[in-house]
Amino acid sequence: MGYDVGDKPLNVSPLSNIDEGKTVKIVKIVGGRGLIKRLYEIGLLPGAEIQVLRNSKHGPVIIRNNVSGTFSLGFGVAKKIMVEVM
Amino acid sequence: MACHEASTSTKIKVKQQSITVGIIGNPNVGKSALFNKLTKGKAWVANWPGVTVEKKIGKINLGETSFEIVDLPGIYGLTAYSQDEIIARKFLIEERPEIVIQVVNAVNLERNLYLTIQLLEMNLKLIIALNMIDLAEKEGVEIDIHGLINELKIPIIPVVAIKEVGINQLLETMIEQIDRPTVSFKLDYGEEIEEAIEKISKIIDSFMGKLDLGIDSRWLAIRLLENDNDVVEQFRSRGLEEVIRESRRIKDELEARFNKSIEVLMIEKRYHYILSLSKKYIKRKPARESLTIFTNKLDRVLTHPIIGLMIFISVLYLLFKLSFDIVAPLTRLIEIFFSHYIYNLIKTSFLPDIISSLLADAILNGVGIVLIFIPNLLFLFLGISFLEDTGYLARAAFLFDKWMNKLGLSGRAVIPLLIGFGCNVPAIMSTRTLGTDRDRRLAVFMIPFMSCSARLPIYLLFTLAFFKENQIIVILSMYFIGVVIAIITAILFNNLLFKGQTVGYVMDMPPYLIPSAMNVFIKSWERVKSFLIRAGTIIVSLMVVIWVLSITGPEGYLGSEALSVPELLSRSWIASFSKLLEPLFKPFNWDWRIIASLMFGFIAKEVVISSLAVLYSAGEQGLPSVLLSSFTPLTAYSLMAFTLLYTPCMATAATIKTEIGLRYTLLIVSYQLIIAYTITYAILLIGGLII
Ligand SMILES: Nc1nc2c(ncn2[C@@H]2O[C@H](COP(=O)(O)OP(=O)(O)OP(=O)(O)O)[C@@H](O)[C@H]2O)c(=O)[nH]1
């Protein structure tokens, strides 16, 4: 998996909107410095590919990739992660 | 990308002296398991200075060297968010342990390497315990350990913390490392950032005389660029505003050039480096027996919004059922032993009356109350630690996150709250796992309203006397009132005292594992011990106070018989206070005897019943009939509600104090008194209208 940020992402939406089972690539995190740092530190940074394991669309989500392992993120956090469906 | 040079600054040479070893790592990587293996389960608990978070220390002797091993809370990086994380960070930076063992999870090594890089940058003497290699192998993860050692220039020891694998080698490496120089590590952040680091280090160097941090200037420069508040504070407190100003200027300049946050850029650089390491040294093959796939499958069921919730409720029911039913005889045995056997032994001894009463009625009773909690606590904690180590608790938190968010809490808070129905004491202790102080306090404010099992006897007694036909509904209504008030409390304090929201919920979901019995047991016992020592002393002292106030009164010493003779007790300080309070309870039509019983109820809620029996001169068997003649169903119901709400019991209050401090304890107690009074008033008003 690479961590390169694509030029002009076509299909960007918040992680909270992504269907279960989809694999997406993080494009940008829109949030405070604190949240950005926390997510970056666990390997969720632009370019990272993640698989959406659980998402009810109005609650927390569960995601995973090889670098970070499995994490659950609150709805508020998931809304701030902009991703591109692959 | 990274280069190394052996530094000549070796400071520790002294033998005999004990060497501090910090165990650090991401959450859930097996730090506690490794700590237990290294210290052979022999550890003690102290407090971190200034906070109520516990510090686990173990001493071991290897040859002529003794090591003091410290288990640190889990962190992902040096940026700290919760109190736990701040402690770990402070320990590394301020106490600078001679050796640091970073426990890493071999299954997703990359994420762990982020912290490794930050530790290397600090020039700490680092050993990596590459843990969970058993799982990594099954998962098909192959790590070229020699390659990594060559690249990072630090010892990397493969271990399985729950077995004996690698433990001896780790101990040997610790001894070897004492005399080895620290390896200085340098990650190349790219031309522009390196230039900035250089500039800031120069400025720092020019003030070196004033700095006694014992940390090299490159690291300080990096932390200044990353806006590390603690480091900024260190400079400020030494009057080095100029350094802060200059570094800000350089940082701003750089950010303007990149049009991007430098902090973010630096993290990206670190990950670039990690991914280059990953490419070279980590291979992922198809899993032989993948725990990840198994975990994902199980999660389809256990995190399902409906099925998952049903399973969770069943698990919780089972936990309570087991921990309360199994231990009931044991609890009873302790009770008989203390409140009958030893009690009578002391009472019939040749000691002077007042001494034997102090020993038996105050101290022994207090010790008895503390000990009676132990079987329940131990079993509840065993259950909780077991569920925690399987990885299931993280799922429960996930299931409830949405609902708890509405109360301003994260999903994790649901566990302490539910434990509260069993007993408030372990519930309050388990709020330690909540991320921030704010979340912790909010949860602690809610817990006393969870109707614990000690309140049930009171409901049973009153419903038996007054609500024979609707017993279950009436009892359930108590639980309902408690939950509703807890929710209102959360909303109220969320807006008043604990403004702001819970920090974004980001939680590691560990794979499902079969816990190691030793770890589960050690963890549970540590928690029980902490209750015994901390809350125990408070409880026994409070018992003595209550005892003094019962056997003395405005006229002076009444004699220890006051505890069982209503006429005498009615002249005690407790009775005097109760009579003083009578006007306040006039609207409720409660006389001083009820008020006095409620005061005794502070000892433990079920004591309300025995106190009523003494004061109304009824044996416990005759109490229902005595109550029937002096209470109406409405007064009975209102008294039940009042008992539910009015104050946490002594053990709970003592636990609240040790966990979040005296100020909040007093606030909680007064808040609960006001709530209890208001709700009881409302019940009587509404009840009066209906009947
Ligand atoms: N299979 C396997 N399981 C392990 C190993 N090390 C630890 N575990 C399990 O991993 C889980 C987490 O271990 P802990 O020791 O509680 O981890 P920790 O890092 O102290 O966790 P926190 O204190 O929550 O940060 C437990 O269920 C352990 O039994 C290992 O080497 N192999």
Side-chain angles (χ1 to χ4, degrees):
Chain A
M1 62 180 4
Y3 268 79
D4 320 294
V5 189
D7 277 334
K8 272 263 156 73
L10 297 166
N11 209 352
V12 175
S13 61
L15 176 64
S16 52
N17 284 349
I18 305 295
D19 292 332
E20 281 174 17
K22 286 252 158 62
T23 301
V24 295
K25 190 188 234 179
I26 299 181
V27 176
K28 192 180 163 68
I29 293 164
V30 287
R33 274 174 191 246
L35 179 69
I36 291 182
K37 264 200 207 171
R38 160 118 301 183
L39 293 174
Y40 272 43
E41 280 180 353
I42 57 172
L44 300 179
L45 58 166
E49 285 170 23
I50 53 179
Q51 197 187 346
V52 181
L53 299 179
R54 181 67 79 191
N55 185 6
S56 63
K57 305 272 173 91
H58 38 256
V61 301
I62 301 181
I63 53 117
R64 84 156 268 116
N65 73 15
N66 280 339
V67 172
S68 311
T70 310
F71 270 91
S72 71
L73 309 171
F75 185 55
V77 177
K79 270 194 301 196
K80 294 187 181 116
I81 302 180
M82 306 307 289
V83 298
E84 180 190 5
V85 182
M86 317 227 353
Chain B
M1 270 191 95
C3 77
H4 295 267
E5 33 192 90
S7 133
T8 42
S9 64
T10 351
K11 34 177 200 173
I12 346 113
K13 256 273 143 110
V14 202
K15 289 276 166 81
Q16 289 124 351
Q17 203 195 324
S18 111
I19 305 267
T20 310
V21 181
I23 298 195
I24 195 104
N26 290 179
N28 280 315
V29 292
K31 291 180 299 298
S32 309
L34 187 72
F35 176 86
N36 292 339
K37 269 273 139 56
L38 291 178
T39 58
K40 304 195 172 58
K42 275 178 281 181
W44 71 91
V45 173
N47 261 14
W48 291 97
V51 290
T52 46
V53 176
E54 286 181 347
K55 175 184 190 178
K56 266 173 63 183
I57 311 165
K59 256 208 170 79
I60 50 169
N61 291 312
L62 295 173
E64 61 226 277
T65 326
S66 78
F67 290 90
E68 189 171 286
I69 303 182
V70 183
D71 192 14
L72 295 161
I75 52 173
Y76 292 110
L78 283 187
T79 325
Y81 303 87
S82 73
Q83 193 181 45
D84 272 11
E85 294 170 315
I86 292 169
I87 286 167
R89 193 197 124 98
K90 262 210 157 89
F91 180 79
L92 290 176
I93 295 174
E94 285 167 25
E95 296 195 28
R96 290 194 68 87
E98 278 95 342
I99 296 176
V100 174
I101 298 179
Q102 188 198 352
V103 185
V104 302
N105 180 347
V107 181
N108 37 41
L109 183 58
E110 288 93 335
R111 184 239 284 171
N112 296 259
L113 284 176
Y114 184 81
L115 180 63
T116 311
I117 292 180
Q118 291 205 310
L119 294 172
L120 282 171
E121 285 188 327
M122 287 181 74
N123 283 349
L124 290 163
K125 207 174 270 179
L126 189 64
I127 302 173
I128 289 188
L130 184 62
N131 193 29
M132 308 217 181
I133 44 165
D134 54 334
L135 297 179
E137 193 210 333
K138 286 183 189 163
E139 210 65 46
V141 180
E142 273 178 19
I143 298 167
D144 174 4
I145 298 176
H146 290 293
L148 268 179
I149 293 177
N150 277 335
E151 177 101 26
L152 298 174
K153 304 275 187 295
I154 47 169
I156 301 175
I157 320 291
V159 297
V160 180
I162 49 167
K163 303 200 184 105
E164 282 300 330
V165 182
I167 306 297
N168 281 336
Q169 205 192 338
L170 190 60
L171 290 170
E172 279 162 25
T173 311
M174 275 163 54
I175 300 174
E176 278 166 26
Q177 285 300 307
I178 298 173
D179 294 322
R180 291 272 168 84
T182 354
V183 171
S184 84
F185 169 92
K186 228 166 147 188
L187 178 72
D188 184 357
Y189 285 100
E191 207 177 317
E192 288 93 343
I193 297 179
E194 281 299 330
E195 210 174 285
I197 294 175
E198 186 81 4
K199 268 193 224 159
I200 299 173
S201 331
K202 284 235 170 73
I203 300 169
I204 295 171
D205 281 337
S206 66
F207 287 101
M208 220 39 186
K210 279 197 195 170
L211 275 171
D212 45 358
L213 285 169
I215 307 176
D216 78 339
S217 50
R218 179 182 166 85
W219 186 79
L220 290 169
I222 290 174
R223 295 312 291 172
L224 283 177
L225 271 182
E226 288 194 274
N227 223 357
D228 184 322
N229 285 332
D230 259 10
V231 172
V232 169
E233 212 30 65
Q234 297 274 2
F235 279 96
R236 187 162 291 145
S237 67
R238 288 171 174 77
L240 298 176
E241 296 280 350
E242 202 184 323
V243 180
I244 305 170
R245 236 178 300 122
E246 270 304 295
S247 69
R248 288 255 159 86
R249 195 185 54 75
I250 293 170
K251 182 177 151 87
D252 288 345
E253 214 178 86
L254 212 55
E255 293 197 334
R257 186 144 23 124
F258 282 111
N259 196 15
K260 200 171 179 182
S261 140
I262 294 300
E263 289 137 274
V264 162
L265 262 175
M266 293 175 81
I267 300 177
E268 282 175 355
K269 285 284 180 199
R270 291 188 190 120
Y271 264 103
H272 273 298
Y273 177 55
I274 291 170
L275 290 173
S276 76
L277 289 179
S278 163
K279 232 176 243 145
K280 276 191 260 178
Y281 306 114
I282 305 172
K283 301 255 169 323
R284 286 198 163 76
K285 291 191 175 160
R288 188 160 63 78
E289 182 192 330
S290 176
L291 190 62
T292 310
I293 294 171
F294 168 74
T295 298
N296 287 351
K297 274 191 190 145
L298 203 53
D299 269 341
R300 293 306 305 163
V301 182
L302 294 182
T303 64
H304 188 277
I306 297 155
I307 305 170
L309 218 55
M310 284 177 352
I311 293 177
F312 177 72
I313 291 167
S314 321
V315 168
L316 199 76
Y317 175 78
L318 217 69
L319 175 68
F320 279 154
K321 187 95 186 128
L322 286 178
S323 60
F324 285 93
D325 284 3
I326 290 184
V327 300
L330 203 61
T331 309
R332 184 85 194 113
L333 217 64
I334 296 179
E335 201 180 334
I336 291 172
F337 184 70
F338 276 90
S339 56
H340 297 283
Y341 185 70
I342 305 225
Y343 184 87
N344 288 333
L345 218 64
I346 297 179
K347 278 292 201 178
T348 53
S349 67
F350 296 106
L351 291 167
D353 187 49
I354 185 157
I355 305 278
S356 73
S357 175
L358 170 68
L359 283 178
D361 296 314
I363 294 171
L364 185 71
N365 245 342
V367 172
I369 286 172
V370 176
L371 292 183
I372 277 179
F373 271 98
I374 293 183
N376 274 332
L377 283 185
L378 186 62
F379 271 73
L380 261 178
F381 283 143
L382 280 174
I384 295 163
S385 309
F386 176 84
L387 290 179
E388 196 179 341
D389 275 13
T390 56
Y392 182 63
L393 282 196
R395 275 70 187 183
F398 170 80
L399 283 174
F400 283 91
D401 187 60
K402 196 172 119 195
W403 309 105
M404 297 311 291
N405 263 332
K406 298 200 194 311
L407 302 178
L409 284 165
S410 87
R412 293 182 209 213
V414 77
I415 292 145
L417 288 175
L418 291 174
I419 295 168
F421 285 120
C423 178
N424 289 181
V425 173
I428 286 162
M429 289 170 71
S430 57
T431 59
R432 286 179 198 171
T433 53
L434 301 186
T436 59
D437 277 358
R438 178 199 159 278
D439 285 25
R440 245 189 112 178
R441 292 186 188 131
L442 198 52
V444 170
F445 270 70
M446 296 171 73
I447 289 169
F449 295 112
M450 302 287 125
S451 189
C452 67
S453 55
R455 286 170 238 194
L456 197 56
I458 306 172
Y459 306 154
L460 285 174
L461 176 83
F462 280 99
T463 49
L464 218 60
F466 296 96
F467 308 100
K468 269 224 174 73
E469 288 93 74
N470 307 317
Q471 204 179 8
I472 293 182
I473 295 177
V474 171
I475 291 180
L476 281 181
S477 75
M478 285 295 133
Y479 284 83
F480 181 73
I481 293 175
V483 171
V484 171
I485 301 283
I487 291 171
I488 294 173
T489 304
I491 294 168
L492 192 71
F493 281 93
N494 195 13
N495 288 311
L496 280 180
L497 199 56
F498 308 127
K499 278 218 177 73
Q501 36 174 233
T502 121
V503 241
Y505 155 81
V506 175
M507 195 165 76
D508 184 24
M509 303 281 262
Y512 289 108
L513 290 173
I514 296 170
S516 110
M518 173 173 142
N519 282 337
V520 169
F521 190 80
I522 290 178
K523 212 185 261 186
S524 315
W525 176 238
E526 271 162 6
R527 289 172 177 170
V528 173
K529 211 162 67 180
S530 148
F531 167 78
L532 276 181
I533 296 167
R534 291 152 163 252
T537 44
I538 302 178
I539 292 172
V540 174
S541 342
L542 280 175
M543 271 312 281
V544 174
V545 173
I546 293 171
W547 173 76
V548 171
L549 294 178
S550 310
I551 60 157
T552 57
E555 316 156 24
Y557 181 56
L558 301 167
S560 62
E561 313 83 69
L563 293 170
S564 50
V565 182
E567 290 76 36
L568 276 178
L569 192 55
S570 74
R571 303 212 299 268
S572 69
W573 283 114
I574 296 249
S576 310
F577 294 146
S578 309
K579 283 173 190 158
L580 217 61
L581 287 175
E582 232 175 13
L584 196 61
F585 290 93
K586 202 85 224 149
F588 299 179
N589 256 330
W590 290 358
D591 75 4
W592 72 270
R593 289 177 292 186
I594 297 181
I595 303 166
S597 304
L598 288 170
M599 285 194 179
F600 287 116
F602 178 60
I603 296 171
K605 297 246 170 176
E606 65 269 27
V607 174
V608 173
I609 299 175
S610 49
S611 309
L612 280 173
V614 170
L615 287 165
Y616 280 88
S617 312
E620 277 193 41
Q621 271 64 32
L623 194 53
S625 54
V626 177
L627 289 178
L628 266 178
S629 60
S630 38
F631 281 65
T632 65
L634 192 56
T635 1
Y637 191 79
S638 63
L639 185 58
M640 279 164 65
F642 196 86
T643 323
L644 160 71
L645 304 169
Y646 78 117
T647 169
C649 70
M650 199 162 63
T652 307
T655 312
I656 297 176
K657 191 202 155 263
T658 57
E659 297 291 327
I660 62 170
L662 184 62
R663 237 161 27 108
Y664 284 107
T665 315
L666 295 177
L667 181 61
I668 290 177
V669 173
S670 9
Y671 168 72
Q672 284 194 250
L673 285 172
I674 294 168
I675 288 284
Y677 193 86
T678 320
I679 299 294
T680 311
Y681 209 128
I683 289 175
L684 286 168
L685 269 183
I686 298 166
L689 289 179
I690 297 171
I691 297 167

